């Protein structure tokens, strides 16, 4: 296993992003008249993705690092405010880019998935929220797994068994988990999906099966009349550990999605999009090039 330098990683990611951009975006987008942007969309997205691979607490420190060490690569580097304004406009493009990577990572024959939710606090529970941009749609919520009350959103995610995010959504924290999952479950069909007890409801599971063909598997409550066999209970329990591992990896690598400190809803959403995209890219870099961005090591593939 050999070490790789940050410059090589940066170049690799930019080429991947820009190749996709040139093929998928510019061919389908009419050129708009006016002054050309100082930084290209590909440069903005590259830096948003790479930011998650370096141990900086925020964008100010990260952009300062780029300006001090790689300014010749990004001579038109924007300040933090300008960078964020441009990034917010690329929210949908980041998700389309991420989905193109998912297609490379996940085969059409994949039929086993994990479903779970994660709390995304945005403000202190007792803080005055009247003048916050989040007051209009974020809500108080309760995370049973962590016995935590918070104010913010809920991230619901459908992923493969090896941690590749297939689809996700951000909903107010007080949203019922089954309602929150309806949208992401439309992304797959005729599949076996393993989830926690928050998704227990025979009627809801039957409705999902009728609409999508997906089978939802959860552990039963002790007071339910019909119980799984002991073997199936053990299997679902082992699968649940995989679910927790996916969120643990997302939360504890790079910037913590619970501490993004954004002041606007749009800013928060695009940084979550960049977080999920960078996680997907990390898995693709490992598979395609043998690069582990957590250790900056490369190995033969």
């Amino acid at each position: 296993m050999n070490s790789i330098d940050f410059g090589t990683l940066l170049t690799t990611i930019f080429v991947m992003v820009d190749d996709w951009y040139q093929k998928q975006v510019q061919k389908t987008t009419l050129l708009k008249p006016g002054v050309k942007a100082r930084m290209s969309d590909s440069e903005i997205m590259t830096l948003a993705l790479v930011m998650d691979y370096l141990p900086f607490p925020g964008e100010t420190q990260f952009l300062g690092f780029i300006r001090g060490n790689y300014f010749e690569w990004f001579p038109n580097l924007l300040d933090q405010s300008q960078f964020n304004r441009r990034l917010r406009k690329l929210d949908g493009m980041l998700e389309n880019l991420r989905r193109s990577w998912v297609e490379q990572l996940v085969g059409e024959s994949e039929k086993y998935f994990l479903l779970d939710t994660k709390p995304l606090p945005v403000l202190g529970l007792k803080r005055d929220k009247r003048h916050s941009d989040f007051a209009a749609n974020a809500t108080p919520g309760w995370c049973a797994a962590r016995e935590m009350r918070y104010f913010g959103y809920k991230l619901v995610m459908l992923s493969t068994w090896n941690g590749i995010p297939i689809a996700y959504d951000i909903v107010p924290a007080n949203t019922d988990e089954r309602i929150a999952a309806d949208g992401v479950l439309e992304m797959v069909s005729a599949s076996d999906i393993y989830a926690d007890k928050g998704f227990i409801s025979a009627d809801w599971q039957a409705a999902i099966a009728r609409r999508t063909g997906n089978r939802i598997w959860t552990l039963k409550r002790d007071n339910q009349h019909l119980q799984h066999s002991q073997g199936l209970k053990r299997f679902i329990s082992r699968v649940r550990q995989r679910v927790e591992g996916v969120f643990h990896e997302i939360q504890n690598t790079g910037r913590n999605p619970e501490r993004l400190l954004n002041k606007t809803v749009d800013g928060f959403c695009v940084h979550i999009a960049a977080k999920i995209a960078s996680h997907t890219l990390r898995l693709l870099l490992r598979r395609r090039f043998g690069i582990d961005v957590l250790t900056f090591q490369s190995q033969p593939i």
Side-chain angles (χ1 to χ4, degrees):
M1 183 176 293
N2 301 313
S3 297
I4 64 167
D5 61 87
F6 179 73
T8 300
L9 178 65
L10 190 59
T11 301
T12 301
I13 293 175
F14 175 79
V15 170
M16 294 173 67
V17 171
D18 196 56
D19 280 352
W20 174 85
Y21 183 88
Q22 299 296 333
K23 294 175 183 176
Q24 303 298 325
V25 178
Q26 286 197 343
K27 287 184 178 180
T28 57
T29 304
L30 294 176
L31 294 177
K32 297 181 179 179
V35 179
K36 185 178 180 180
R38 289 172 54 195
M39 285 191 75
S40 70
D41 291 342
S42 296
E43 289 177 306
I44 296 289
M45 289 191 290
T46 295
L47 291 181
L49 294 165
V50 172
M51 191 184 311
D52 206 48
Y53 301 150
L54 294 177
F56 291 107
E59 289 168 349
T60 301
Q61 295 85 353
F62 171 76
L63 293 176
F65 168 78
I66 296 296
R67 184 171 286 106
N69 296 275
Y70 296 93
F71 186 72
E72 68 276 12
W73 297 19
F74 300 94
N76 297 314
L77 184 63
L78 305 175
D79 62 31
Q80 182 181 5
S81 178
Q82 294 171 319
F83 181 85
N84 277 323
R85 283 199 297 270
R86 285 285 307 280
L87 182 59
R88 285 196 293 271
K89 296 178 180 179
L90 300 176
D91 189 353
M93 194 178 295
L94 266 173
E95 175 57 12
N96 289 336
L97 174 60
R98 189 193 70 82
R99 290 182 182 182
S100 74
W101 291 334
V102 170
E103 291 177 0
Q104 298 177 49
L105 286 165
V106 181
E108 294 182 359
S109 61
E110 182 69 53
K111 291 297 179 182
Y112 297 94
F113 299 96
L114 310 175
L115 176 67
D116 204 359
T117 61
K118 171 183 173 52
L120 294 175
V122 294
L123 292 173
L125 193 60
K126 297 181 180 180
R127 179 177 169 181
D128 183 3
K129 303 168 182 64
R130 289 174 295 178
H131 303 295
S132 170
D133 192 48
F134 294 107
N137 51 28
T139 64
W142 166 255
C143 176
R146 294 163 60 178
E147 298 185 348
M148 178 183 77
R149 296 192 182 278
Y150 68 99
F151 181 86
Y153 300 94
K154 183 181 294 183
L155 174 66
V156 54
M157 181 180 293
L158 185 71
S159 63
T160 63
W161 282 25
N162 54 350
I164 302 169
I166 297 297
Y168 70 95
D169 198 5
I170 302 171
V171 298
N174 63 357
T175 306
D176 183 279
E177 293 196 336
R178 290 160 295 187
I179 296 174
D182 278 350
V184 301
L185 289 173
E186 297 285 350
M187 300 300 293
V188 298
S189 61
S191 299
D192 290 291
I193 299 170
Y194 295 84
D196 66 12
K197 291 183 179 180
F199 296 95
I200 289 180
S201 169
D203 291 341
W204 176 76
Q205 291 179 5
I208 291 295
R210 287 193 299 270
R211 191 171 78 244
T212 67
N214 293 318
R215 296 168 293 276
I216 309 295
W217 298 94
T218 66
L219 291 174
K220 301 285 189 177
R221 293 191 178 94
D222 292 339
N223 60 357
Q224 287 185 272
H225 178 66
L226 295 176
Q227 293 287 326
H228 294 314
S229 67
Q230 290 300 316
L232 182 55
K233 285 182 181 180
R234 287 193 295 270
F235 179 74
I236 295 176
S237 295
R238 289 198 300 270
V239 170
R240 284 296 310 157
Q241 294 176 4
R242 287 177 174 263
V243 177
E244 294 164 4
V246 172
F247 277 118
H248 177 81
E249 195 167 358
I250 290 175
Q251 179 169 336
N252 292 283
T253 56
R255 301 176 70 193
N256 189 332
E258 295 186 15
R259 300 188 180 93
L260 291 177
L261 304 178
N262 293 108
K263 294 182 173 59
T264 67
V265 175
D266 287 346
F268 176 77
C269 289
V270 75
H271 279 86
I272 292 295
K275 176 70 183 180
I276 304 301
S278 69
H279 177 73
T280 307
L281 174 59
R282 182 170 64 80
L283 300 174
L284 183 62
L285 287 169
R286 180 185 295 169
R287 178 179 297 184
R288 181 185 288 183
F289 302 110
I291 296 174
D292 187 343
V293 299
L294 299 183
T295 61
F296 280 76
Q297 301 287 317
S298 64
Q299 54 188 348
I301 57 174

